[in-house]
Amino acid sequence: QVQLVESGGGSVQAGGSLRLSCTASGLTFDDYAMGWFRQAPGKEREGVSCISSRNGDFVRYADSVKGRFTISRDNAKNTLYLQMDSLKPEDTAMYYCAARQWSLCSLTNIDTYNFWGQGTQVTISS
């Protein structure tokens, strides 16, 4: 049974930082491209950042988070990370990690992700 478990969310003031983690089990983590997505109330789920499988040498960021967020993966720990700095109120959302059994990742083809976590809430106050 595949499980993706997010952690690290919370409430911080604008300008602060958070580090999200997503620990995977029940799958060969190295074989999966991984992504972070978020959904704010009343809005569609959107891609935030993603990383290719294995070495993770291909990454992508949404324009809204470029220069502020950094994605990484530790295959030895089956864990995906998202370092979020210079947080803004508009970053407030539920954040989800997802896995797809492709080498490359995508921020837009959300339906191609096979597995999803339950999400972790991020709230940024001004």
Side-chain angles (χ1 to χ4, degrees), residues 93-110:
M94 184 72 78
Y95 283 70
Y96 301 89
C97 70
R100 77 174 199 170
Q101 202 171 8
W102 292 20
S103 57
L104 294 179
C105 65
S106 171
L107 291 180
T108 55
N109 296 327
I110 293 178

Side-chain angles (χ1 to χ4, degrees), residues 52-63:
S52 59
S53 65
R54 300 199 180 278
N55 292 334
D57 51 3
F58 174 83
V59 298
R60 295 194 68 184
Y61 296 95
D63 288 343

Side-chain angles (χ1 to χ4, degrees), residues 7-13 15-21 68-70 81-87 91 93 95 120-124:
S7 62
S11 297
V12 298
Q13 289 190 327
S17 298
L18 286 171
R19 188 194 194 201
L20 305 184
S21 298
R68 300 188 297 120
F69 290 10
T70 304
Y81 301 100
L82 185 68
Q83 178 66 41
M84 305 189 296
D85 299 317
S86 302
L87 284 161
D91 294 319
Y95 283 70
T120 186
Q121 178 67 39
V122 171
T123 303
I124 311 303

Side-chain angles (χ1 to χ4, degrees), residues 15 42 73 89:
R73 64 188 296 157

